[in-house]
Amino acid sequence: MDSNSITRTVASVPRQLWLGGVQKPSASGKTFEVTDPSNGEVIASVADACAEDGLEALALASQIQPEWAATAPRVRSEILRAAFDLVHERADDFAHVMTLEMGKALSESYGEVNYGAEFLRWFAEEAVRIGGRYTSAPAGNGQILVTKTPVGPVLAITPWNFPLAMGTRKIAPALAAGCTIIVKPAEDTPLTMQLLGQVFADVGLPPGVLSILPTSTAPPLTGPLMADPRLRKVTFTGSTAVGKLLVRNAADNLLHTSMELGGNAPFVVFADADIDAAVDGAMAAKMRNGGQACTAANRLHVDNAVIDEFTDKLTSRIAALRIGPGLDADTDLGPLINERQRTVVARLVDDAVRKGARVRTGGSAPVGPGSFFEPTVLDRVPSDALLLREEIFGPVAAVIGFDTEEEGVAAANDTEFGLASYFYTRDSARAARVANELNSGMVGVNRGIISDAAAPFGGVNQSGYGREGGTEGIEEYLDTKYVAS
Ligand code: ADP
């Protein structure tokens, strides 16, 4: 796209709230600004949803909930499939708007358009396969019929790092299951979801089923919604701290909750690994999305027998990454989402270096506009460095050595989180053993990217609970009903 087309695309992004699928200003009359993290400039102003808007969306959602639940699964499926097609048709718009508001390199935004759309297709296919169970009562005195019903109106709260996919991963299974849904996108990146609202309006999703409510300040909107007995579920992707707060709030109204929270993924390289493949995998697991993914490799644990070769190769690859505005054709790595995030990354790097880590490349923020941070490799990271405990969420690879398989696995599991783990080995017995021993919801074996709409995504321990995607993902939006006869 040339710059005129980009300007036209941005101008065409719907600016009002999608209240039940219809564009409406906020009852507060307020708007808030969305900025480009590569230069801090304002891209657009969008309506700033308030409590009244939220309750109006919920009134619409709960009113149409029975009708939507009774809509033929095939019809729900075809709406999702039409949305999948339309997102692809509008891939240029989605990718450019996403890069502008979130910062990632344009090629990564196109990747997310594919990934995000895939949830629409996958759950279009799952909508017609919601099953149940039938059996005879053991006492021989009747039948047990088990059916699935939609849980009811859902609130989805999404983060800024995957502005499309984190929305479709919740919207698609909710709609497939027959739930109505209200989406509150992250304040840094509401525009991509605004485009998705247009897609659903254009494919004829019935009014009331979906609302999209951007807001500058979440709690005044989400608090009253979660306190309202008409809401039945909250699904959240974001930090562990906010997730816990939401679970506490959900208790009062006994809401269903799905919590996809923080990660601290280990990436383990055993001495028998294909080192070049492991470096490729580490580049993907660490640098995808500028390291701003909850599945990002946070710690690279490498057998001391191969640590020099691995770290040298990784360092030359990471040092070659070009940082710049995501829309520039030669940019590999865009800015971090905002100054706050850059401060977090800088603090973690400074702490590790102060405690003895060695900077192999990068290590600081470049001067100039935009919230950039240099692609960085640290080795000899000491065990008390904070970045081994906390999620970095930036382009910083921290390398730590180990000597035996037991030691490598123990180091990998030494975290309160448990979202993803990765490891590289050419020994199939070791592969089976270690996959079993790693304590996380997802494990990549000789793979640096594991996300797939057809697979259950989610964590254990402080990474939360619930699964998104796969055949499991729709279950999060279904209740179980038992009929005795
Ligand atoms: P991050 O640190 O990655 O921004 P957050 O957990 O703060 O992660 O944010 C993820 C999502 O949760 C965003 O949409 C944000 O607006 C929302 N959020 C943050 N705090 C609250 C809160 N107290 N109540 C409801 N939503 C919140």
Side-chain angles (χ1 to χ4, degrees), residues 244-306:
K244 287 181 179 175
L245 189 74
L246 292 172
V247 172
R248 271 184 219 115
N249 294 342
D252 284 340
N253 200 3
L254 282 182
L255 296 177
H256 292 259
T257 53
S258 302
M259 294 286 141
E260 204 269 272
L261 309 178
N264 180 355
F267 185 103
V268 185
V269 182
F270 291 103
D272 60 23
D274 174 338
I275 299 300
D276 290 331
V279 170
D280 284 346
M283 289 300 292
K286 178 69 251 180
M287 291 298 166
R288 184 169 78 112
N289 226 35
Q292 300 175 111
C294 45
T295 50
N298 214 51
R299 302 168 276 138
L300 308 181
H301 298 280
V302 185
D303 191 308
N304 282 320
V306 292

Side-chain angles (χ1 to χ4, degrees), residues 32 34-35 101-102 160 185-191 337-338 340:
F32 69 102
V34 183
T35 55
E101 66 175 348
M102 189 274 171
W160 47 263
E187 53 276 22
D188 286 309
T189 58
L191 303 179
I337 185 69
N338 53 34
R340 188 161 43 87

Side-chain angles (χ1 to χ4, degrees), residues 22 45 196 233 271 279:
V22 176
S45 292
L196 190 69
K233 177 180 172 80
V279 170

